[in-house]
Amino acid sequence: MGIVADRLSVVKPSATLAVTTKAKEMKAKGIDVIGLGVGEPDFPTPKHICDAAKAALDKGETKYTVVAGVPALRQAICDKFKRENGLDYTPDQVTVGAGGKGVLFNLFLATVNPGDEVIVPAPYWVSYPDMARLAGGVPVFVTGKEEDGFKIKPEALEAAITPKTKWLVVNSPSNPSGAAYTEAELRALGEVLIRHENVWVISDEIYEHIVYDGFKTPSIAAIVPEIKDRVITVNGLAKAFSMTGWRVGYAAGDIDVIKAMNKIQSQSTTHVTTFCQSAGIVALTSPMDFLKERNDIFKARRDMVVSRLNAIDGIRCRVPEGAFYLYPCVEGCIGKTAPSGKKIETDTDFVSELLESKAVAVVPGIAFGLSPYFRLSYATSTEALEKACDRIAEFCASLK
Ligand code: PLP
């Protein structure tokens, strides 16, 4: 009998870990590794938000708060939903947790019974399936094919629904593909969901503000009002406000679900750090002028890297609507042999040989449930991205 609980046996060790560990080892040896694996903006948290946290500390905001988050923050979240998403929620329908991840964890644990099915469109953010499994659920994958812009079709959703289905996870714009659903696409999925009253929806909108070419992220709860009562809308400050380390995420929806999530939080983290909540109020109630400049930089990088990758023999890359990831296909490299003599049979082989021979770290598609692809984060300097593109091109040219 080991010390580790049986429930962990269903959780897969992170497929990204091998690459990260190897990249770290290479860096420690003094090798100039370009890391394109991270999922956080390379911009600082805006100053007015940092100042708000400092002011909160100076005012002594260092004690416990209520579990769901201070009322002023939950009101600011309701105002945000009304203003930006056309969604009406009351503060008791809102919970604030330790990042989007903390909120999602509470949500799965609060609602998933053993054997409940959770439909996860692939390619997916790595945490959804494992959170579902930890809660005793069964992830059911539906592939959003590259030719469909990595988005799932209503027919495929319909086919995946069973009497055991509890949740559909919608993540738009998506990590890892950057793909985002239009209003019409969400409405088409909604038509299926209207017919299946047992299915609830988690709408993870954490990348909503990181979009390009005039795209506006629609919220499924607003586009399909018939199912609004069955949608839990999840968001957070990490990505739009460059606040990954602050751990402020939130969710809104059915009051019984929110209460159940708060019950779990009351027995785990209790609440989000008090002065981070105060800073969160300022983040949500202040102008977001910094965003346009940052998105313009992201867009220039996206366009540069996509065109560089598409010029490489063996790689093909779709232009995503949002987030700061690309999900290039390496089908054209499969079956070739790397300079080391290793035959590239999978995206994992591609990624590890690229790291070994050219010191560029990206994440293999297998980690996100769709191969043969890799995920590249362009939330890093343009200079590093240009260098990485040179190296990827050299690597692909070296394959025989
Ligand atoms: N949802 C998606 C799709 C993400 O990519 C992430 C972070 O990478 C999160 C949620 C959670 O973000 P955080 O916990 O930092 O708020």
Side-chain angles (χ1 to χ4, degrees):
M1 242 191 334
I3 186 70
V4 176
D6 294 345
R7 77 176 70 86
L8 276 180
S9 65
V10 297
V11 177
K12 289 203 208 103
S14 164
T16 62
L17 214 64
V19 180
T20 319
T21 311
K22 200 157 149 192
K24 277 195 185 140
E25 281 168 15
M26 289 169 72
K27 264 193 190 149
K29 282 189 201 149
I31 300 170
D32 168 30
V33 179
I34 307 176
L36 305 179
V38 292
E40 65 181 345
D42 55 321
F43 303 115
T45 303
K47 187 174 178 303
H48 63 283
I49 301 173
C50 297
D51 288 344
K54 291 179 197 165
L57 278 171
D58 288 340
K59 274 194 280 175
E61 292 181 17
T62 56
K63 300 294 172 72
Y64 290 134
T65 73
V66 288
V67 169
V70 293
L73 175 55
R74 282 182 288 136
Q75 185 60 54
I77 290 166
C78 291
D79 296 345
K80 173 257 180 282
F81 275 127
K82 180 78 184 158
R83 188 175 67 237
E84 296 179 351
N85 309 91
L87 288 171
D88 283 302
Y89 293 116
T90 52
D92 55 0
Q93 287 182 286
V94 173
T95 178
V96 182
K101 195 181 252 178
V103 166
L104 285 161
F105 194 85
N106 291 343
L107 178 53
F108 280 113
L109 214 55
T111 59
V112 173
N113 283 317
D116 283 352
E117 293 174 357
V118 178
I119 299 178
V120 180
Y124 48 74
W125 178 47
V126 291
S127 294
Y128 302 129
D130 283 330
M131 284 185 186
R133 287 189 190 106
L134 261 177
V138 180
V140 173
F141 302 111
V142 176
T143 299
K145 296 189 192 117
E146 184 187 347
E147 59 263 38
D148 298 326
F150 297 114
K151 294 178 260 190
I152 63 165
K153 292 282 186 195
E155 310 79 68
L157 171 61
E158 180 95 54
I161 293 172
T162 77
K164 285 188 176 169
T165 308
K166 188 148 225 173
W167 289 107
L168 162 69
V169 180
V170 177
N171 172 218
S172 175
S174 148
N175 175 5
S177 70
Y181 288 83
T182 63
E183 280 190 22
E185 288 163 342
L186 283 185
R187 182 69 216 173
L189 295 180
E191 299 292 343
V192 175
L193 296 164
I194 290 168
R195 289 197 297 277
H196 294 277
E197 290 184 2
N198 61 311
V199 184
W200 286 53
V201 181
I202 295 172
S203 182
D204 181 347
E205 302 175 5
I206 200 152
Y207 293 98
E208 78 168 317
H209 287 300
I210 305 177
V211 282
Y212 313 108
D213 310 315
F215 187 89
K216 185 163 178 332
T217 306
S219 292
I220 192 165
I223 300 304
V224 195
E226 297 93 325
I227 62 161
K228 182 188 174 227
D229 293 349
R230 288 189 266 139
V231 178
I232 302 293
T233 306
V234 177
N235 210 320
L237 305 185
K239 314 290 176 174
F241 297 91
S242 293
M243 290 175 71
T244 44
W246 297 67
R247 314 310 302 134
V248 185
Y250 54 88
D254 178 84
I255 197 157
D256 291 328
V257 173
I258 298 296
K259 271 189 191 159
M261 292 167 70
N262 288 335
K263 194 170 180 182
I264 288 177
Q265 184 151 289
S266 77
Q267 297 295 14
S268 57
T269 56
T270 310
H271 62 72
V272 168
T273 305
T274 306
F275 52 88
C276 292
Q277 293 190 47
S278 309
I281 297 169
V282 169
L284 288 169
T285 54
S286 305
M288 295 178 71
D289 302 337
F290 57 90
L291 202 63
K292 182 179 181 316
E293 190 189 331
R294 293 178 176 195
N295 280 354
D296 285 348
I297 294 171
F298 276 145
K299 177 183 150 54
R301 291 177 186 166
R302 177 199 69 168
D303 292 345
M304 185 274 288
V305 180
V306 168
S307 77
R308 291 284 315 266
L309 291 177
N310 277 326
I312 297 172
D313 189 25
I315 296 189
R316 160 179 94 220
C317 185
R318 175 183 181 270
V319 182
E321 291 84 0
F324 35 70
Y325 308 105
L326 299 176
Y327 204 62
C329 180
V330 293
E331 205 170 39
C333 298
I334 302 294
K336 294 187 180 175
T337 304
S340 67
K342 165 107 186 135
K343 193 167 173 200
I344 311 273
E345 285 172 10
T346 61
D347 49 28
T348 307
D349 292 343
F350 179 91
V351 162
S352 61
E353 288 300 312
L354 174 64
L355 179 59
E356 196 75 58
S357 79
K358 292 291 171 191
V360 175
V362 292
V363 186
I366 188 147
F368 311 101
L370 188 64
S371 293
Y373 296 84
F374 66 86
R375 189 192 76 175
L376 177 158
S377 161
Y378 52 91
T380 191
S381 77
T382 308
E383 196 192 354
L385 288 166
E386 278 170 350
K387 210 153 91 177
C389 288
D390 291 342
R391 293 187 189 181
I392 296 169
E394 286 164 23
F395 173 70
C396 290
S398 77
L399 300 176
K400 294 276 163 341

